[in-house]
Amino acid sequence: MISKINIRNVIIIFLAVFFVYPIAVAQGVQKDPGDEKITVKESNITLSELLDIMDSKSEYDVSYGNYVISLSDKYNFTYHSKTVFNILDDISKKLNVSYKVSGFNITVIKKRKSSLFKKKVTISGYIKERGSEELLIGANIHIKGTNIGTVSNSYGFYSLTIPAQKAVLGVSYVGFDTFELEKDFFEDIEFDIELEQNNMLQNIDLTYSSSKRIADKAYMNVVSIQPKEVEKIPALLGEKDVFKALQYMPGVRSGSEATAGLYVRGGGPDQNLIILDDAQVYNAMHLFGFFSVFNGNAVKNVDMYKGGFPARFGGRLSSVIDISMKDGNKNDFEGQGSIGLLSSNIMVEGPIKEGKSSFIVSGRRTYIDVLAAPFTRGPGSAGYYFYDFSAKFNYEFSSKDKLFVSGYFGRDKLRMIEGGELFKMYWQNATTTLRWNHLFNSKLFSNTSLIFSDYDLVMKEEEEYGNEIYLSKYNSGIRDIGVKTDFNWMPNSDHFVRFGFNVINHYFSPSVYNIENYNQENIVQAKHINTIESSIYAEDDWKIGDRIKLNAGLRLSNLMHEGENYLSLEPRILAAFMLTDKTSLKASYSEMNQYVHLLSSTGSGMPTDIWVPATNKVAPQFSRQYAIGLANDIEKYGLTLSVEGYYKTMENIISYKEGTDFLYVSEPYPGEEFEYEDAVVVGNGYSKGVEFLLQKNQGKFSGWIGYTLSYTKHKFEELNRGKEFFPRHDRRHDISIVGIYELTPRIDFSATWVYGTGDAFTLATEEYNVYDHDPTEPIEYDVDYYPETGNIYVDGGPEKYTVNHYVEKNSFRMAAYHRLDFAFRFHKTLKSGRKRTWEFGIYNVYNRKNPFYYESSWVNEGGKKQNVLLQYSIFQIIPSVSYTLKF
């Protein structure tokens, strides 16, 4: 009996322990606090305040340290019926924290700094102008409160990779309101951003980057400019010109009085690569160099790189001027027209398919020929005019594919009649570019361009001799057909990688001269030359920590011509080291090759200059440039300051031999070809200098002061007896002061003052007679005797010539150049909504007679021969007025 009871009791106890007791306990004790759900709905509180709320609403003891979380950053938290661990997991995803649990204690800790486990997201898209959807180049995109940022590329595309987080995305661009958006960035997102144009009168901002801060950029010697900024600068006859604005920057000078030619850091006009929508423009001047061919109404952006340019650019030694045309308004029809003393222009843009495609057309013509006609009639008459036309079309197939077609055509034409002689001359540029943008993914972007460019110079002369009419014609030119592909890869916020290639076929017609009459035709021409220029490149904008930024790259270039193969590796490196948050030290080193030469007899970029290629007899030009500088942002006063020093060497530069020019037709004989290399000499040169720029970009008063101290010298064994000499464009001191003041929102005033050391030129120091006679041949005379008068006349013998004697080439200096310009602009919005602007300007306010050229004349004074210099000036005080209407 006892044994049976014991067994039954054991079974009952066993069942109670394993089944009944857990149920009773579950019904009689509190639930696990980890399952408890709480609700939090708080705005504008810190993380520490949220943790205090969680501590009060749950059974857990939540602790943290000040070194772990910020006590000042505030957030919005909304959690409905969530467990403590649900909330902590969400916080860990958004902020740089984690947590550990020990019993009923929870401690918030920092996340490990391991990019291996940190989630990254990519924000990408296009930066556009609101309304027109014009793509904006060089917009500054950044995460507020961090050093994470990037810029939009040449087609408005950007890509920014950041840690997954809630952040404020900011975008800034000159002339537009700053954009800011607070958003959760936890997944990759395609995000197009539209910026609103600032309706207030904008200050000039010609800076060394698209951002107003210059200290934190790796690039040196870069000038970015928009045409609307050029509108505020006084100009000759009111003709606004981006090239004239660039001349006000240190290190850049004009060729002579009022001309638009550019001489950058001691280089010649041929050493500037001028690009219009990827197409090279070989002669960018109207009116014999006084104006550039680019109509500001159709231009969106201009970037100028002085010397040490990145690896994606090549083919020139001194500068790259990268010009982008406007794309056209995709939503509304707009236009602008201007009437001035010299020319009129008009621009119209609008949608073809709203939101998908658009067009822009722009035209300009002078009426010098019409105004001058009443004064040039008669036996001697002349006429001149120029015009240009540009157009662009674009179509957006999708967010990943866009097509652009753009073109430019411009011509200058001169006509003169004197007696029975008729002279005609014209030069023209034509370019066409077909471009395809493709977005592979949020980090890889490409552009492929098919390019055509053509430049021609033609001179015709018709002259009557007796019963015969002689016709002569001279022409020269260059034609390009090419393809290029560029890739932009943005793997993360520390790297912006560019790589690509290009191939271009150059066809040169250096010189063709026809002489024709009724009986025969004689043709003397330089040999036509065909070359293929190609290159591949790679470069990286690289941020190393918080203080070092680099642009490092390599360019491999090549020229092929009749079995000759020039292959060159060009290293480029630009670096910026942040000394403080507002001051940086910058340095650069660059090697450049140039496979084309410009044969110039004037050194001023005239249309008669001839483009020729490197051949097996004349090697490519080569340059090395070293530069170092300091940049400082003085934000308290809205100022930026930069100082740069440079040293540049130039090899294989060419010049005409003494006694030859672009009409080199005396050798060989008519009907044969000659090679241009027979007319040139090859030499070397160097340039060094210091550039200073102080700018004010904020407030009602804006502007800048630029100063350049520079030295440039050339050396040719066959010129100047092999000794170094200053080229014509050497200028010791160059000063530019630009000021713009907003008197009221409707009235603004601007002024410029420039000063420059005079150009170098060659002056004859002696004049003497020589006789044309070969001493090895006997002298023969014809003697005539007239007995009725007793006179004897001798004919024959050596012929006497007067020649000048020169000591050294370019050993004299013109007088210094300086002038002051004013301009007033009056703006008004009409009842129709159109905007009109009247501008009144004065060029050369104090009527300075600046030298354009000198003429030497020998006179006898007191029995002694004297050399008298005659100075000629072309532009003294000139008023101007223009009217602009935007509709």
Side-chain angles (χ1 to χ4, degrees), residues 8-185:
R8 187 184 64 182
N9 291 340
V10 171
I11 294 172
I12 292 172
I13 294 171
F14 177 83
L15 293 174
V17 170
F18 285 92
F19 295 99
V20 180
Y21 180 77
I23 295 174
V25 170
Q27 294 176 345
V29 300
Q30 292 183 344
K31 295 180 180 179
D32 186 343
D35 297 330
E36 185 179 5
K37 295 182 179 180
I38 62 176
T39 296
V40 178
K41 189 175 182 181
E42 299 289 343
S43 299
N44 201 34
I45 66 171
T46 65
L47 178 57
S48 62
E49 290 172 336
L50 172 66
L51 297 179
D52 289 339
I53 293 172
M54 293 170 60
D55 184 86
S56 64
K57 287 190 175 185
S58 72
E59 294 296 321
Y60 285 96
D61 182 14
V62 184
S63 62
Y64 56 88
N66 292 347
Y67 67 92
V68 174
I69 61 175
S70 170
L71 298 179
S72 58
D73 293 342
K74 294 187 177 183
Y75 310 89
N76 298 329
F77 297 104
T78 301
Y79 300 104
H80 179 71
S81 190
K82 298 291 185 181
T83 68
V84 171
F85 296 112
N86 291 151
I87 297 174
L88 289 172
D89 288 340
D90 186 68
I91 294 171
S92 297
K93 291 178 182 178
K94 297 180 179 179
L95 305 176
N96 189 34
V97 296
S98 183
Y99 64 94
K100 62 180 180 179
V101 181
S102 178
F104 289 95
N105 296 315
I106 299 176
T107 306
V108 177
I109 61 175
K110 267 188 177 180
K111 279 185 179 179
R112 292 181 179 177
K113 288 186 177 180
S114 173
S115 59
L116 202 62
F117 302 101
K118 189 182 298 182
K119 183 178 179 180
K120 300 280 188 178
V121 298
T122 299
I123 314 164
S124 62
Y126 291 87
I127 308 297
K128 305 176 182 180
E129 179 184 4
R130 179 165 295 171
S132 70
E133 297 191 36
E134 185 83 35
L135 299 173
L136 300 180
I137 302 170
N140 189 31
I141 304 101
H142 64 281
I143 300 299
K144 193 173 181 180
T146 73
N147 64 349
I148 300 174
T150 188
V151 295
S152 58
N153 69 7
S154 298
Y155 303 93
F157 178 76
Y158 76 96
S159 177
L160 188 61
T161 300
I162 66 172
Q165 59 181 299
K166 184 173 187 176
V168 177
L169 180 69
V171 182
S172 60
Y173 190 69
V174 175
F176 289 77
D177 291 332
T178 299
F179 171 90
E180 287 189 358
L181 176 67
E182 186 176 11
K183 186 177 177 62
D184 292 333
F185 296 105

Side-chain angles (χ1 to χ4, degrees), residues 618-828:
V618 177
Q621 298 182 60
F622 174 74
S623 173
R624 289 188 178 92
Q625 184 173 181
Y626 311 83
I628 189 169
L630 282 171
N632 182 248
D633 293 286
I634 312 171
E635 295 181 345
K636 181 179 179 180
Y637 301 102
L639 300 174
T640 61
L641 172 66
S642 65
V643 181
E644 294 184 15
Y646 68 90
Y647 180 80
K648 178 170 69 174
T649 62
M650 297 168 282
E651 300 176 13
N652 301 321
I653 55 178
I654 68 172
S655 177
Y656 280 115
K657 290 179 179 178
E658 297 288 1
T660 60
D661 59 21
F662 72 101
L663 291 177
Y664 178 63
V665 296
S666 60
E667 295 289 347
Y669 299 102
E672 297 184 11
E673 288 187 334
F674 71 92
E675 297 180 347
Y676 87 86
E677 298 96 320
D678 298 332
V680 305
V681 292
V682 180
N684 300 320
Y686 70 88
S687 182
K688 58 184 178 180
V690 178
E691 301 169 359
F692 168 92
L693 180 66
L694 178 66
Q695 293 180 266
K696 186 177 186 299
N697 302 316
Q698 302 175 16
K700 287 190 173 184
F701 175 77
S702 60
W704 69 92
I705 300 174
Y707 169 72
T708 305
L709 171 67
S710 63
Y711 295 80
T712 303
K713 280 198 170 183
H714 289 173
K715 183 177 182 180
F716 295 80
E717 292 299 328
E718 294 88 349
L719 300 179
N720 200 43
R721 295 183 292 276
K723 296 191 295 183
E724 288 185 344
F725 61 90
F726 295 109
R728 180 182 175 88
H729 58 268
D730 172 70
R731 179 173 289 180
R732 194 69 58 248
H733 304 282
D734 195 276
I735 303 172
S736 298
I737 301 176
V738 177
I740 299 165
Y741 186 69
E742 181 186 348
L743 300 172
T744 72
R746 294 176 53 187
I747 303 173
D748 62 277
F749 164 76
S750 61
T752 61
W753 184 77
V754 295
Y755 173 90
T757 303
D759 290 349
F761 73 104
T762 305
L763 178 66
T765 57
E766 300 285 346
E767 182 186 55
Y768 55 91
N769 297 327
V770 296
Y771 294 88
D772 183 13
H773 170 62
D774 183 350
T776 63
E777 298 291 335
I779 299 176
E780 297 181 359
Y781 297 96
D782 293 328
V783 180
D784 293 320
Y785 173 65
Y786 297 89
E788 63 273 13
T789 60
N791 293 330
I792 299 176
Y793 293 90
V794 180
D795 187 22
E799 187 173 353
K800 185 173 70 173
Y801 294 92
T802 300
V803 298
N804 292 324
H805 173 70
Y806 301 93
V807 179
E808 288 194 13
K809 188 177 180 67
N810 292 342
S811 57
F812 291 85
R813 290 279 175 178
M814 292 184 177
Y817 179 94
H818 55 87
R819 74 168 198 275
L820 175 68
D821 305 334
F822 285 162
F824 286 89
R825 279 164 297 280
F826 301 88
H827 313 274
K828 185 177 181 180

Side-chain angles (χ1 to χ4, degrees), residues 460-479:
K460 297 179 181 179
E461 188 172 5
E462 182 178 310
E463 195 167 359
E464 184 176 351
Y465 286 99
N467 295 326
E468 290 191 344
I469 297 178
Y470 285 82
L471 303 175
S472 60
K473 178 183 177 181
Y474 170 85
N475 67 280
S476 71
I478 177 174
R479 177 175 296 175

